[in-house]
Amino acid sequence: MSKLPINQYVIEAFKRNKCKQVHQNVSKLAEELIRRCWKEDVFIVFTDGLRTMEEQATIYGKGRANYVYKGKQYGNPKAKKVSNALPGTSFHNYGLALDFVTCDGYGRNIDWIVGPKWRRAAAIAKELGFTWGGDWSSFKDYPHIQYDGGLTIKQVSAGQMPIFKSVPSIIYEQGDLTVSQYNELKKLVEAQQKEINALKQEKANIRGENVSPSHKDAWVWAKEKGLLSGDNPAGALSRQQAATVFQRFYELK
């Protein structure tokens, strides 16, 4: 099946609505979810990640005629109701939740129908320790996954955090890198390139390949007149080289 390489696909999957700003452990597990789904040709992208209280109020206000939060009207009766979570009562508000949808192998052509591939993605998410909103009885939230570790929203809002499950990352082929590994490698390559450039500059200075601006005109003149060969402009001048320069100048006259 046609699809992006896994490392490119992971980047595509996280680029919407602060999905990369969730808790770092949630981000790692979500990346693993993407990778395991990709291996099975199940393609998902995240559509929502970390939310502010105001953003939660906007979502809660959908499908409600009159909802006010901190003195501001957020009611939107024309929209479809999508959440029963007030500001501060969603795991999104604490960076512990993500919403996802299925799509094609390039992260496009989003499909909102909860079909077999959607349910397979949810099953893989649960294997990694996530809770799926599609399992809820009172209000099924099919796009929603959260990492609660058995904690209630009241416990999380009071400052408790879940204990995160340690899972091994799937390696598809030798040399395949996670996004975090790729970023670290990129930093290393950039640092090494800076060192190489510095060494090249140091070598150029030692060899005298750089002409000082205050001597540039004289240097050009001397080369044009044949007094100097044009090599090693900042290098030291030996007495035998000086004798050659004097001889050439005498002949020039």
Side-chain angles (χ1 to χ4, degrees):
M1 178 176 290
S2 180
K3 57 187 177 182
L4 288 173
I6 182 58
N7 292 330
Q8 293 181 33
Y9 191 89
V10 169
I11 295 171
E12 183 69 26
F14 277 96
K15 73 180 187 181
R16 299 164 179 83
N17 298 330
K18 297 189 288 187
C19 290
K20 250 314 188 188
Q21 296 181 35
V22 294
H23 189 285
Q24 61 178 356
N25 289 332
V26 172
S27 180
K28 289 178 182 178
L29 288 167
E31 180 179 328
E32 186 59 28
L33 169 61
I34 294 296
R35 296 172 71 82
R36 295 188 181 198
C37 286
W38 181 92
K39 185 179 182 182
E40 297 184 19
D41 287 337
V42 174
F43 306 112
I44 64 171
V45 293
F46 298 116
T47 59
D48 208 4
L50 178 66
R51 292 182 197 153
T52 65
M53 298 303 179
E54 289 73 19
E55 288 167 341
Q56 189 65 40
T58 298
I59 291 173
Y60 180 79
K62 291 182 178 181
R64 292 176 169 85
N66 185 31
Y67 171 62
V68 177
Y69 177 70
K70 291 187 176 181
K72 183 177 178 180
Q73 175 62 247
Y74 285 92
N76 185 2
K78 294 182 179 181
K80 181 181 178 181
K81 186 182 290 186
V82 295
S83 178
N84 284 333
L86 289 161
T89 67
S90 170
F91 282 84
H92 281 283
N93 303 146
Y94 307 96
L96 296 174
L98 288 157
D99 290 343
F100 75 92
V101 291
T102 53
C103 57
D104 64 19
Y106 294 91
R108 300 189 293 266
N109 296 319
I110 288 175
D111 184 3
W112 288 94
I113 297 175
V114 183
K117 289 192 174 183
W118 192 307
R119 294 184 180 278
R120 178 55 186 153
I124 296 173
K126 290 192 287 185
E127 291 173 2
L128 294 170
F130 287 99
T131 298
W132 180 41
D135 289 331
W136 297 342
S137 57
S138 59
F139 186 93
K140 290 189 178 296
D141 192 354
Y142 291 103
H144 182 88
I145 56 173
Q146 66 187 39
Y147 203 98
D148 52 48
L151 298 178
T152 64
I153 192 64
K154 185 176 181 180
Q155 290 173 310
V156 172
S157 63
Q160 294 189 53
M161 291 298 288
I163 297 175
F164 292 93
K165 182 179 179 180
S166 177
V167 295
S169 179
I170 290 180
I171 302 299
Y172 305 104
E173 59 185 45
Q174 187 175 3
D176 188 32
L177 301 175
T178 64
V179 171
S180 57
Q181 288 172 330
Y182 169 80
N183 289 335
E184 288 299 319
L185 180 60
K186 183 180 178 182
K187 289 179 182 178
L188 179 61
V189 171
E190 289 174 348
Q192 289 178 335
Q193 187 60 53
K194 287 182 180 179
E195 292 182 6
I196 291 171
N197 291 341
L199 289 172
K200 285 182 178 178
Q201 183 64 42
E202 182 179 346
K203 183 178 180 181
N205 292 337
I206 293 173
R207 291 174 57 189
E209 294 178 355
N210 297 320
V211 180
S212 173
S214 61
H215 300 295
K216 187 174 182 180
D217 290 342
W219 178 255
V220 172
W221 174 84
K223 287 197 298 180
E224 291 177 348
K225 297 300 182 181
L227 298 176
L228 299 172
S229 64
D231 298 327
N232 198 22
L237 184 68
S238 67
R239 286 187 292 179
Q240 61 184 1
Q241 288 173 324
T244 300
V245 172
F246 294 150
Q247 183 184 39
R248 290 173 180 173
F249 184 71
Y250 179 80
E251 293 172 351
L252 178 65
K253 292 179 61 177

